[in-house]
Amino acid sequence: MSVMASRPLVRWVLPGGVLVAVLTGGAIATTLTASAAASLPVRSAAQLLVDVETAKLDGASGTVVEKADLGLPSLPDSIVGRDGSSNLNTLISGSHTLRVWYSGPDKARVALLGAMGESDIIRNGNSVWLWSSASNTAEHSTLSAGADKAPPTPNDMPKTPQDAANRVLAQLDPTTKVSVDQVGTVAGRPVYNLVLQPKDTRSQVAKVTISIDGTEHVPLQVQVFAKGYAPPAFSIGFTDVSFTRPADQRFAFNPPPGAKVTESTATPDHAGTGTKPQTAVIGTGWTSVLVARVSPDALAPSPSAGGADRGSSSLGVILNALPRVSGSWGSGRLLQGRLFSVLLTDDGRVLAGAVTGQQLQAAAADPAAALK
């Protein structure tokens, strides 16, 4: 199943054998005690995982608040944005409000609401629109037959609780301790709180809490906590939600007069679009590091720290703000946040993981990370 995912409706399925391994390997240690206040029956973590996997939902809509406090270095507002921005690229920092509508596997809409406008991602059948009212621009893509996801959106941060939960649950394996915390309330509805904790304490992630609706069995809120930092480093959750199916006209979109419309030529499954990049994974579980090789030119800093050159990318501006590091693996620039680190090497490699920068540099020295 997939409910209200943003790109849109990316399916999640636990890898074969993983759920069984977790259930039989002692990872699930806690059973919920029923709360009179929430009036929810007792459910174990194992039962909740099955509930989420088998949930059926015809329709839903509501307001979602996303907050990102990732501890990123100081960057220009044009990249990270401020609270109230309607630019999808700014979801990596601050607080943002979104409206979501879901009406089956081929109808979904997410609107990022800003002080001066909004940006929308809309799927209606095989038609997908990306719309910005601030710039009065729209990008249209047509999905090929049988495609189950749209082309990448301008920003890949989760835009609904389901989207965030999908990404976490898809990685569930025996390296994770799964338990159930006390019941609670989200958007006025009683929920079970499913808690995922890395068994490997070297991970920057302390725990992930997924609040699951007690009746509909879908995630209403996801909170990600960083090691050594009390507030959630990332959270996304409903403040109000309805499980009534939205009207079909909600998913109809016609660009307003004067809008600049671009037809996307990217194929949804990226088949035949070129050579796949070289990649490798160093380590396992929550401390695994993804390594990818790109063109060294793509990781070159902007010619000026201010990024005045209109040809300079946002990535170039970010690179100028990052400290340089070096070691036996080579040299490059390092971004360290509360939940993850990213190492961009001068020889054209990108390493990322929910680990410290020091751990990334150790991974960069692994022969498998050379990608030669």
Side-chain angles (χ1 to χ4, degrees), residues 14-361:
L14 295 178
V18 166
L19 182 58
V20 174
V22 172
L23 299 186
T24 60
I28 295 178
T30 305
T31 299
L32 177 68
T33 300
S35 165
S39 299
L40 290 177
V42 174
R43 302 292 283 172
S44 69
Q47 289 171 318
L48 289 177
L49 287 170
V50 174
D51 288 344
V52 174
E53 186 178 12
T54 59
K56 305 292 184 182
L57 194 63
D58 292 330
S61 62
T63 303
V64 169
V65 172
E66 180 254 21
K67 296 181 180 180
D69 185 12
L70 302 175
L72 299 177
S74 178
L75 295 171
D77 290 346
S78 60
I79 297 173
V80 298
R82 291 185 180 272
D83 291 0
S85 172
S86 63
N87 188 332
L88 287 167
N89 289 325
T90 66
L91 290 173
I92 63 172
S93 179
S95 178
H96 303 274
T97 300
L98 306 98
R99 287 284 296 170
V100 300
W101 298 266
Y102 170 81
S103 185
D106 63 349
K107 289 186 180 179
R109 181 170 187 162
V110 177
L112 172 59
L113 309 179
M116 303 298 291
E118 69 177 74
S119 293
D120 291 60
I121 307 170
I122 307 154
R123 177 174 180 176
N124 191 354
N126 65 349
S127 179
V128 177
W129 287 94
L130 304 179
W131 158 247
S132 170
S133 67
S135 60
N136 198 21
T137 58
E139 179 182 339
H140 180 246
S141 301
T142 301
L143 301 182
S144 59
D148 64 352
K149 63 180 179 178
T153 62
N155 182 273
D156 200 32
M157 292 291 286
K159 299 171 187 66
T160 69
Q162 179 70 31
D163 190 9
N166 285 352
R167 302 184 191 201
V168 174
L169 292 171
Q171 304 304 315
L172 191 61
D173 62 23
T175 67
T176 305
K177 177 183 177 182
V178 187
S179 60
V180 182
D181 202 348
Q182 69 223 28
V183 294
T185 303
V186 173
R189 298 179 63 86
V191 295
Y192 298 99
N193 290 316
L194 186 68
V195 180
L196 311 179
Q197 293 176 283
K199 290 184 178 180
D200 190 336
T201 58
R202 296 176 301 164
S203 174
Q204 290 291 87
V205 177
K207 67 177 181 178
V208 179
T209 300
I210 303 176
S211 299
I212 301 169
D213 189 272
T215 302
E216 301 296 336
H217 311 305
V218 296
L220 296 186
Q221 179 176 266
V222 174
Q223 295 178 302
V224 186
F225 295 85
K227 193 165 60 176
Y229 189 69
F234 177 82
S235 66
I236 185 165
F238 283 99
T239 57
D240 65 77
V241 63
S242 167
F243 293 105
T244 301
R245 189 167 188 164
D248 284 347
Q249 56 262 36
R250 177 63 67 181
F251 309 99
F253 179 76
N254 293 306
K260 180 181 178 181
V261 178
T262 302
E263 289 289 336
S264 174
T265 57
T267 58
D269 56 6
H270 305 285
T273 57
T275 304
K276 292 183 179 180
Q278 290 180 278
T279 62
V281 176
I282 309 299
T284 59
W286 294 79
T287 55
S288 62
V289 173
L290 175 65
V291 188
R293 181 171 290 282
V294 298
S295 167
D297 293 340
L299 302 180
S302 301
S304 62
D309 181 2
R310 293 294 294 175
S312 300
S313 66
S314 294
L315 177 58
V317 179
I318 293 174
L319 287 171
N320 283 324
L322 299 180
R324 289 196 61 81
V325 292
S326 61
S328 61
W329 50 270
S331 60
R333 294 180 181 267
L334 179 65
L335 182 152
Q336 296 188 90
R338 293 194 173 96
L339 291 173
F340 62 88
S341 301
V342 180
L343 176 63
L344 306 146
T345 70
D346 294 337
D347 64 0
R349 291 177 294 160
V350 178
L351 294 91
V355 296
T356 65
Q358 186 175 4
Q359 289 169 274
L360 274 191
Q361 293 184 66

